Amino acid sequence: MTPMTPIDALVLTGYGLNCDHETAHTLNLAGARAHRVHINALIDGSVTLERFQILVFGGGFSWGDDHGAGVVQAVRMKNRIGDQILSFVDRGNLVLGICNGFQVLVNLGLLPGLDGDYTARCVALTDNDCGSFRNDWVHLKVELDSPCIFTRGLSRIELPIRHGEGKLVASREILQRLQAGGQVVLRYADAQGRRAGGAFPANPNGSLDDIAGICDPTGRIFGLMPHPEGYHHWTHHPDWPRIKDQCRRSGTPLPEGATPGLEIFRSAVAYLQAA
Amino acid sequence: MPQRLEITLKPELFDAEGEALRRKAAAYFGLALDSVRTVHILTVDADLNPEQLERIRTEVFTNPVTQVSAFTPLAEPFDWVVWVGYRPGVKDNPGATAVEAIEDCLDVRLKPHEAVYTSRRYCVSAAGLARADLERIANQLLANDIIQQWRVFSRQEWDPGVGIGIIIPKVILDHTPTVAVLPIDSDDQLRRISDARGLALNPNDIPTIRAYFRNPEVMAARRAVGLGDPTDIELEYISQARSDHCNHNTFRGLFRYLDLETGQAETVDNLFKTCIEAPTLALKEKKDWVVSVLWDNAGVGRLDADHYYTITGETHNSPSNMEAYGGAITGIVGVYRDPLGTGLGSRLIMGAYGFCVGPYDYDGDLKPRLHPRRLLDGVIEGVRDGGNKSGVPTPFGQVLFHPGYLGKCLVFVTALGVMPAVVAGVPSEHKTTSPGDLVIMCGGRVGKDGIHGVTASSEVFSEHTPAGHVQIGDPYTQKKMHDFLLEARDAGLIRFVTDNGGGGLSSSVGESARFANGALIDLEKVPLKYAGLDQWEIWVSESQERMTVAVAPQDAERFLALSRQHAVESTVIGRYTDTGRLQIRYAGKTCADVDLSLLESGFPQWTFEAHWQSPALRGLAEPVIGEPADYDGLLLAMLGRPNICAKNWIARQYDHEVQGTSVLKPLVGAGRDVPGDAAVLRPVLGTPAGLAFAQALLPHYAAIDAYHMVACTMDEAVRRLIAVGGDPHHIGGVDNFCWPSIQYEPQTNPDGRFKAAQLVRACWALRDVCLAYAIPLLSGKDSMYVDGHLPGRFGERHKVSALPTLQFSAVSAIDDLTRCTTLEVKAPGDGVYVLGETADELGGSEYYDLFGDVGSQVPQTAPERFWPLYLALARAIAQGWVASAHGVYRGGLGVHLALVAMAGRLGMEIDLGRVPGTEGMRADKILFSESAGRFIVTVDPACQGRFETLFQGMPCTRVGTVSADPNLVVRHGDRALTRLPVTRLLEAWKRPFGHL
């Protein structure tokens, strides 16, 4: 059997970003080679995007999230290495923005990328309606008509959310275009998989149309508020002690295989390996 | 010319911040506001041209989708405007990041005198409110006058062209730094200097200090460097180093203990040595997992073959009591520097909190500076922002209400880190400084922050006076420094690292210089926030987010280059020497030269009289309460008690899963809404091992006997670890004492001798339980002055002392995390067991407190009887025979049976008559006794045979069955007591704070 092409993934660090270790770990579990790289190493050129196929804007509080989550990071990256990022996208690579990274992507304009314009800001992620940061687990409905590379093969999943600014806001027109183009990837749902309909806490932030994640028209750029890297091991799930107990009683093996969170990264790696 | 940018949400968008204020005004003061819209203001005090201003407005500070903005006042509708901004010198974190963003966007550098100041104005629509209502909202909800200023405008007063005007809270000191020389010709003169400068020198230390400066050899050496009488910087240094905070003079004191009942007299020389150090060192010999204790910023234990964990706990009481948010965020961010400054540096992996405040709905005559409700809101938010923005999970914490904390609240903050056992080829737990190493200060800059509050508060406030004695932690700056230092560590560039907290450079350089045996500092190199600080202020300033690092000269260039890449300021401020002296120069001129040995020699021990009055001698007796008839009502009332009920809104605001290490979360069970016994995490991803962590607080028992308070607190923390599957042979402890003043003074502290005796007994319990359970104390701290003087109705002041309080933190390693279990009942048909004996021990209990009673029969521990039971339970959990396990804590069996049923959303049928040790006891006492050493365990019928065999000969009885019928049914023999649906239990338990 021929060895798979190695897939190199870059996980941004620095300036208050904070999910880099577990994101890199999950990428490694998914078969990629993850590299944690400081934003300034890209800016000063000591690392370039050319050798990477996946770029991850991870979770955290870049610049303290003081002037709108992800805003200052987007300004810095756009001004310093905006061209590099756009050509990275042009080369057919994958971009993933998680939580704070999603906020950066919409402020950069990489999302939603309507009409091939990867610089326009027409979607915002703003303060949760509940008025505070919230850490909980949510049910998510995966929109099957989406071209998103990352969610292939998934239909309903659970993931943790941990944010204070996750309410997706856009004009009605933009929302309709996202819907029509299959760019809505994830929606908050109830335990039965039905759309949350804005109801708290199933929809934890008041996001319009229950939107939790969107992609660009190609499906190669994906941003989401929930944390897939936060569910890379079966013991992350809040119910795992109960699941373990049921397995013991029924004599079935523990669910130690891939989690939905890990599957999102695996889909990305599989896509690139097949390309 | 300064410009003011106003930013607000587009009118059609929901304003969550404004809505939160509207709800609070209604809930706290009954004020009906129709709506509140928030306007964010940036006052840009920088020389930018109109094009530049427009560019930052559109590209950075205005979201085109959600916001509108203008450099003129926005025309938001309102009846009233409340503007709130910072006072000069208060850390304005968003202002600092705004500067970074402007510099980045425009590719310019702002000049040193230029800055951005953030503030807010709230546009309140409310018919029928008076100015006084708005003033109340301003000063009791939005602003705290020690860090903030505010203005209220009515619609008539508002000039739409001027708005709030241009308000620039800039620090202008207009002062030339000066070293003062302070003659100390007599002890009295030095005492006066101490009083005037707020040095807080102990009177007993004064002769020793004077003797040093009058020593002919010292005088000759000082003359040689141009010094004579001590300088202000020297006395400040000595004061810091000798402070109780740094030196633990109380715990190292001599206690003359006398039991007034028995006449037993005993001299206790040094509680630290006898009750903390001695047992810990003895246990370190037996426990190979104990790596490093009793000297570094945090204790070090082994997690697995390749990794160590570090742990410490702190309090931040006085600052939080003044400014809840600022104090708490400074506390959590500050304690995170301790693991970072332990060994060669450890990565932060978790934080925990404990908040003790006055009654939530207090409406008595005393006037605390901040109402307990507001104080709690502030400390919750401070720890939330500090922890979340540090990227460190906060998976455990507790809140406790008691009137004793009206005088001063307690804010406990605990931090854990992890580091590789070997860093760049050397053992990570070792660190040292050597002559020639550079002294480098990293992180934030130095201002007048935290310089002893007394001096600061005695200054007259002006428009430009820094309100520096209360700080606001900056997790963003510290997170950058954290990431940088760990990279520098892994590159082998760090020889020694410690934090700048209490005492600032004075303490970090002073302590690190002891390893090399000297240091020479050039104080003018220290980067300042603003000009005009005196030399002594630079030396003792407690400006946050700073570490002091020793770096070999040949590594300096790499270290500084890495620092630049991480956008962290690092400055060489001196070097370590072997002169035996701490020498400080400013612009080449020596301003301090002190023998390091001064601080290790010759200071007299503090002494305390400690008179113990037994509970009987104090007239404590059991209350006479007949048996209740309405057990349903009683149980529901107990579940709704402030110290029992759900406080889930706090845990949900705290990121407890960042880093991907979460194994057992703060809220567990079928509804994910019941607090677990302990947090469990997997600090090193991809490995099977991890840590369990728990804390306990039981100050109510100290009202009877502080010995049993401590013993029960420790026992609870241990049981919390055992219940989730912790290893009983690997339990490390952290003791955090918070005590009222113990120095007897007939007028101001008439019961000081009793409080001192309580401290002695508390330490005895600490020693006894540590040895009995084999718990080395990995770290610990004490905060000794938990008293407040509160104004009353008639202008009189009342001293309010906290209950003697110990927060005990316990940590355990777990080899295989999949063995862990949780508290909720899992399946109908499982047997319910109670482990451990229940006795008539309701003294200090929640049940007695319900009726306003204290009682006398406080729960007592019997470690020698408890321990075999704990070992057996640990084994049963490891074998997988246990479906659920939960300790029985405050509120007793009644509360904790309800919790395990609620957590499982299943019913239980329980017969109290079977509870071990309760023969002849009344049902209410069985239900609410708080006897230590107990667990509730449920077991699958398939495992019950093995389970029961394991517990043969121990107090472990099956008391009932888990049922699919979702009711908690409790009887006592043949007598039915309660039958309550789990949904009603949940409703009663969640109702008190359900609106939050």
Side-chain angles (χ1 to χ4, degrees):
Chain A
M1 202 174 118
T2 50
M4 294 281 201
T5 334
I7 302 299
D8 286 294
L10 188 156
V11 179
L12 290 170
T13 68
Y15 288 107
L17 295 180
N18 64 32
C19 297
D20 44 309
H21 286 282
E22 66 268 36
T23 305
H25 177 75
T26 311
L27 280 159
N28 288 334
L29 288 178
R33 295 192 304 206
H35 307 260
R36 294 169 51 250
V37 175
H38 198 282
I39 290 171
N40 286 350
L42 282 180
I43 289 172
D44 69 22
S46 50
V47 178
T48 61
L49 282 174
E50 262 134 41
R51 51 175 286 221
F52 298 95
Q53 292 86 52
I54 304 178
L55 171 59
V56 183
F57 293 76
F61 285 85
S62 54
W63 280 266
D65 275 0
D66 287 330
H67 303 281
V71 168
V72 183
Q73 186 184 344
V75 169
R76 181 167 177 82
M77 297 190 74
K78 191 178 217 167
N79 285 346
R80 307 301 175 98
I81 51 168
D83 295 347
Q84 270 192 61
I85 294 171
L86 290 177
S87 62
F88 179 86
V89 171
D90 284 346
R91 289 196 296 276
N93 294 311
L94 301 186
V95 178
L96 177 60
I98 304 164
C99 194
N100 200 230
F102 183 21
Q103 293 156 343
V104 175
L105 293 185
V106 297
N107 284 308
L108 277 170
L110 283 186
L111 283 176
L114 293 169
D115 306 321
D117 180 354
Y118 286 108
T119 59
R121 289 164 86 182
C122 59
V123 167
L125 291 156
T126 188
D127 290 341
N128 296 352
D129 277 355
C130 66
S132 174
F133 186 97
R134 187 169 171 85
N135 183 166
D136 200 352
W137 276 61
V138 293
H139 294 273
L140 296 161
K141 179 170 180 283
V142 182
E143 299 297 345
L144 299 176
D145 61 351
S146 166
C148 183
I149 304 301
F150 297 81
T151 50
R152 287 179 173 175
L154 298 173
S155 58
R156 274 168 56 185
I157 57 175
E158 287 176 87
L159 289 177
I161 51 111
R162 313 191 302 258
H163 59 252
E165 296 176 57
K167 177 183 180 177
L168 186 137
V169 174
S171 70
R172 209 15 79 188
E173 185 219 335
I174 296 287
L175 289 173
Q176 276 160 3
R177 291 193 62 191
L178 293 179
Q179 173 71 24
Q183 287 182 251
V184 176
V185 182
L186 295 175
R187 282 199 162 93
Y188 299 111
D190 65 15
Q192 285 70 45
R194 293 172 304 222
R195 273 178 60 172
F200 181 86
N203 176 337
N205 48 38
S207 213
L208 299 185
D209 289 356
D210 300 318
I211 297 174
I214 60 174
C215 65
D216 77 322
T218 71
R220 291 187 291 109
I221 304 175
F222 177 37
L224 73 169
M225 287 313 297
H227 286 270
E229 83 289 357
Y231 189 17
H232 70 252
H233 193 277
W234 73 282
T235 59
H236 285 134
H237 193 283
D239 286 342
W240 81 264
R242 308 162 62 72
I243 294 165
K244 177 185 81 161
D245 185 69
Q246 284 155 10
C247 290
R248 192 194 53 73
R249 287 173 203 262
S250 60
T252 48
L254 295 172
E256 292 176 301
T259 58
L262 179 55
E263 291 292 358
I264 284 174
F265 293 87
R266 280 193 174 171
S267 294
V269 173
Y271 167 83
L272 289 164
Q273 279 170 338
Chain B
M1 189 182 132
Q3 297 288 334
R4 181 203 51 229
L5 176 61
E6 292 204 339
I7 308 148
T8 195
L9 285 170
K10 289 180 177 172
E12 67 272 22
L13 292 178
F14 177 76
D15 183 341
E17 187 182 352
E19 175 60 14
L21 177 63
R22 195 192 63 78
R23 280 203 310 259
K24 249 188 194 178
Y28 289 9
F29 308 133
L31 293 176
L33 314 184
D34 298 328
S35 84
V36 181
R37 302 291 291 185
T38 316
V39 176
H40 292 251
I41 299 173
L42 295 175
T43 304
V44 182
D45 184 17
D47 190 16
L48 301 179
N49 63 42
E51 287 79 5
Q52 289 174 315
L53 288 167
E54 187 56 14
R55 197 158 164 222
I56 60 168
R57 184 182 78 82
T58 53
E59 289 187 23
V60 186
F61 297 116
T62 313
N63 188 309
V65 182
T66 56
Q67 292 174 321
V68 292
S69 66
F71 284 101
T72 52
L74 293 168
E76 282 285 307
F78 63 85
D79 294 310
W80 297 90
V81 162
V82 181
W83 173 82
V84 178
Y86 289 117
R87 283 178 174 276
V90 176
K91 187 79 205 277
D92 183 350
N93 292 323
T97 49
V99 170
E100 282 190 54
I102 290 170
E103 293 183 337
D104 241 10
C105 177
L106 302 177
D107 204 11
V108 297
R109 288 284 154 270
L110 296 201
K111 298 181 190 72
H113 64 272
E114 296 181 323
V116 176
Y117 304 92
T118 64
S119 62
R120 277 168 209 203
R121 70 177 168 97
Y122 299 89
C123 302
V124 178
S125 298
L129 288 199
R131 171 174 294 277
D133 298 324
L134 277 302
E135 289 283 348
R136 191 170 185 201
I137 288 171
N139 76 26
Q140 292 186 39
L141 287 181
L142 292 171
N144 183 339
D145 58 7
I146 50 178
I147 59 162
Q148 283 151 322
Q149 42 184 329
W150 70 86
R151 289 177 200 182
V152 174
F153 300 85
S154 68
R155 203 161 37 189
Q156 294 73 31
E157 291 161 330
W158 184 258
D159 179 337
V162 175
I164 57 146
I166 301 281
I167 301 166
I168 300 182
K170 179 180 192 168
V171 174
I172 301 171
L173 291 172
D174 198 17
H175 174 78
T176 307
T178 315
V179 176
V181 175
L182 305 166
I184 48 170
D185 295 330
S186 66
D187 287 359
D188 196 44
Q189 192 173 12
L190 180 52
R191 206 186 55 244
R192 282 199 305 271
I193 292 170
S194 171
D195 289 347
R197 297 185 64 96
L199 296 178
L201 292 175
N202 187 287
N204 298 325
D205 287 0
I206 282 178
T208 312
I209 296 167
R210 280 193 63 236
Y212 169 77
F213 283 102
R214 291 158 59 91
N215 177 324
E217 279 177 42
V218 171
M219 290 171 76
R222 292 175 64 77
R223 267 196 301 277
V225 294
L227 292 173
D229 282 324
T231 61
D232 52 0
I233 191 168
E234 291 176 319
L235 289 181
E236 293 280 350
Y237 168 57
I238 292 165
S239 147
Q240 291 287 348
R242 283 294 302 156
S243 70
D244 203 13
H245 183 81
C246 292
N247 225 44
H248 308 289
N249 299 316
T250 299
F251 270 67
R252 291 176 186 276
L254 185 81
F255 290 77
R256 294 200 185 85
Y257 180 87
L258 176 65
D259 185 327
L260 296 182
E261 188 177 64
T262 65
Q264 173 213 352
E266 194 171 332
T267 300
V268 182
D269 182 357
N270 199 323
L271 291 169
F272 175 76
K273 280 201 166 153
T274 56
C275 296
I276 294 172
E277 186 178 64
T280 296
L281 290 178
L283 290 165
K284 185 173 189 286
E285 291 304 304
K286 295 183 198 156
K287 302 273 183 187
D288 65 354
W289 57 265
V290 181
V291 176
S292 165
V293 284
L294 299 167
W295 68 280
D296 209 339
N297 289 315
V300 184
R302 180 177 292 114
L303 169 62
D304 62 27
D306 303 319
H307 299 91
Y308 296 151
Y309 66 87
T310 56
I311 182 170
T312 191
E314 255 288 11
T315 53
H316 217 57
N317 307 331
S318 300
S320 302
N321 200 60
M322 298 272 282
E323 163 36 38
Y325 178 86
I329 190 172
T330 306
I332 188 80
V333 175
V335 78
Y336 282 163
R337 287 192 301 276
D338 281 327
L340 183 57
T342 294
L344 293 171
S346 60
R347 180 169 61 80
L348 269 300
I349 57 167
M350 79 160 270
Y353 61 93
F355 304 139
C356 299
V357 298
Y360 191 77
D361 294 321
Y362 180 75
D363 62 354
D365 288 336
L366 298 177
K367 301 265 176 297
R369 191 183 148 70
L370 302 174
H371 187 278
R373 184 175 54 201
R374 179 180 186 193
L375 211 154
L376 182 63
D377 283 346
V379 296
I380 288 170
E381 288 165 17
V383 170
R384 175 193 68 199
D385 290 356
N388 292 359
K389 291 191 174 187
S390 296
V392 180
T394 309
F396 195 91
Q398 295 177 321
V399 176
L400 196 139
F401 303 98
H402 186 274
Y405 304 114
L406 278 171
K408 197 188 274 185
C409 68
L410 305 183
V411 173
F412 295 96
V413 282
T414 306
L416 282 84
V418 69
M419 60 187 182
V422 176
V423 166
V426 299
S428 63
E429 76 274 25
H430 295 153
K431 63 179 181 185
T432 192
T433 59
S434 307
D437 286 354
L438 302 178
V439 183
I440 297 184
M441 191 184 94
C442 302
R445 296 184 149 228
V446 172
K448 286 201 174 213
D449 310 296
I451 294 172
H452 28 82
V454 181
T455 324
S457 60
S458 64
E459 285 173 16
V460 181
F461 274 112
S462 84
E463 199 184 346
H464 296 292
T465 308
H469 49 296
V470 173
Q471 307 201 58
I472 298 178
D474 175 5
Y476 164 63
T477 295
Q478 183 157 308
K479 171 66 174 157
K480 289 196 293 183
M481 177 174 69
H482 169 269
D483 292 0
F484 155 58
L485 287 174
L486 293 180
E487 220 174 298
R489 175 199 73 182
D490 292 342
L493 304 176
I494 292 178
R495 295 192 158 190
F496 186 99
V497 57
T498 193
D499 83 302
N500 283 279
L505 288 171
S506 171
S507 148
S508 70
V509 176
E511 283 168 23
S512 57
R514 293 185 191 195
F515 293 85
N517 198 28
L520 174 62
I521 302 297
D522 289 308
L523 217 48
E524 77 281 0
K525 292 185 176 159
V526 175
L528 304 180
K529 294 182 180 178
Y530 36 79
L533 265 68
D534 276 334
Q535 290 80 351
W536 71 269
E537 293 178 307
I538 301 171
W539 186 238
V540 303
S541 161
E542 297 185 357
S543 288
Q544 299 288 303
E545 294 87 37
R546 293 181 295 147
M547 304 289 283
T548 294
V549 186
V551 175
Q554 65 272 20
D555 294 331
E557 203 173 311
R558 279 175 69 205
F559 184 87
L560 295 172
L562 194 59
S563 184
R564 278 192 297 276
Q565 187 181 66
H566 281 260
V568 173
E569 188 163 34
S570 293
T571 312
V572 179
I573 61 165
R575 60 186 164 80
Y576 292 98
T577 65
D578 56 2
T579 58
R581 281 143 63 182
L582 179 73
Q583 297 164 290
I584 305 173
R585 297 186 299 208
Y586 187 86
K589 188 170 174 351
T590 299
C591 50
D593 189 326
V594 180
D595 285 334
L596 287 173
S597 58
L598 165 66
L599 297 167
E600 283 156 9
S601 61
F603 284 99
Q605 194 175 20
W606 291 13
T607 58
F608 301 95
E609 298 296 320
H611 291 179
W612 173 242
Q613 296 164 272
S614 69
L617 207 57
R618 279 177 282 140
L620 293 181
E622 284 287 287
V624 180
I625 304 169
E627 185 171 3
D630 174 12
Y631 274 93
D632 283 357
L634 175 57
L635 182 55
L636 294 172
M638 285 291 286
L639 288 171
R641 303 270 298 154
N643 284 332
I644 300 288
C645 70
K647 299 170 190 78
N648 297 355
W649 93 98
I650 305 173
R652 286 269 169 245
Q653 290 182 57
Y654 289 3
D655 190 334
H656 45 262
E657 299 186 80
V658 62
Q659 302 188 1
T661 53
S662 171
V663 177
L664 292 187
K665 303 182 206 311
L667 298 172
V668 300
R672 302 168 193 175
D673 53 3
V674 175
D677 291 75
V680 177
L681 62 160
R682 186 191 313 271
V684 183
L685 301 178
T687 64
L691 296 172
F693 173 89
Q695 296 176 314
L697 273 168
L698 289 167
H700 289 84
Y701 298 169
I704 299 173
D705 189 338
Y707 182 96
H708 299 299
M709 179 273 283
V710 166
C712 288
T713 304
M714 296 175 71
D715 176 69
E716 175 177 326
V718 166
R719 279 185 291 136
R720 285 177 172 276
L721 297 181
I722 300 291
V724 297
D727 176 358
H729 302 294
H730 181 147
I731 296 179
V734 177
D735 57 291
N736 281 99
F737 283 87
C738 286
W739 230 255
S741 299
I742 64 166
Q743 189 65 264
Y744 170 67
E745 210 287 321
Q747 297 303 320
T748 59
N749 201 25
D751 56 353
R753 291 179 293 213
F754 174 63
K755 291 166 176 165
Q758 289 177 302
L759 182 65
V760 172
R761 293 178 67 79
C763 288
W764 285 345
L766 182 72
R767 174 198 63 198
D768 294 350
V769 178
C770 280
L771 290 170
Y773 289 157
I775 305 173
L777 294 170
L778 300 178
S779 188
K781 288 273 167 62
D782 52 271
S783 179
M784 294 309 300
Y785 308 95
V786 189
D787 307 282
H789 296 267
L790 303 184
R793 265 175 83 186
F794 310 105
E796 81 288 8
R797 280 188 173 264
H798 299 261
K799 178 173 171 185
V800 178
S801 295
L803 286 171
T805 307
L806 170 77
Q807 185 199 51
F808 196 75
S809 309
V811 60
S812 181
I814 297 177
D815 291 341
D816 178 358
L817 292 166
T818 60
R819 288 182 178 162
C820 290
T821 190
T822 43
L823 63 83
E824 78 277 17
V825 297
K826 303 277 192 313
D830 283 4
V832 181
Y833 293 77
V834 170
L835 281 55
E837 293 188 67
T838 301
D840 186 351
E841 294 178 313
L842 289 102
S845 69
E846 193 65 30
Y847 183 55
Y848 280 0
D849 197 46
L850 171 69
F851 302 116
D853 291 314
V854 173
S856 60
Q857 287 169 217
V858 67
Q860 305 202 8
T861 58
E864 66 290 349
R865 277 194 290 120
F866 293 174
W867 193 242
L869 193 77
Y870 298 179
L871 291 179
L873 179 57
R875 176 140 177 250
I877 292 172
Q879 293 288 336
W881 299 341
V882 167
S884 76
H886 178 50
V888 181
Y889 316 123
R890 190 148 183 85
L893 276 174
V895 164
H896 291 277
L897 285 166
L899 283 171
V900 299
M902 290 189 289
R905 300 291 199 270
L906 291 170
M908 291 199 296
E909 288 177 21
I910 302 293
D911 179 2
L912 293 183
R914 293 166 174 257
V915 172
T918 60
E919 207 174 321
M921 258 176 90
R922 228 168 62 187
D924 57 333
K925 296 202 169 190
I926 301 174
L927 270 179
F928 300 117
S929 162
E930 295 182 6
S931 288
R934 296 179 299 162
F935 295 92
I936 298 164
V937 173
T938 61
V939 183
D940 176 1
C943 301
Q944 281 168 17
R946 283 167 290 178
F947 180 84
E948 289 180 11
T949 305
L950 179 61
F951 283 89
Q952 228 152 34
M954 293 183 218
C956 165
T957 312
R958 182 167 170 176
V959 300
T961 305
V962 179
S963 60
D965 170 40
N967 284 290
L968 177 62
V969 181
V970 181
R971 60 192 163 82
H972 190 203
D974 296 334
R975 193 174 142 223
L977 298 176
T978 69
R979 181 187 180 84
L980 283 164
V982 166
T983 48
R984 264 193 84 192
L985 298 171
L986 275 164
E987 192 278 328
W989 178 68
K990 288 186 173 181
R991 189 186 40 77
F993 296 114
H995 58 288
L996 294 172

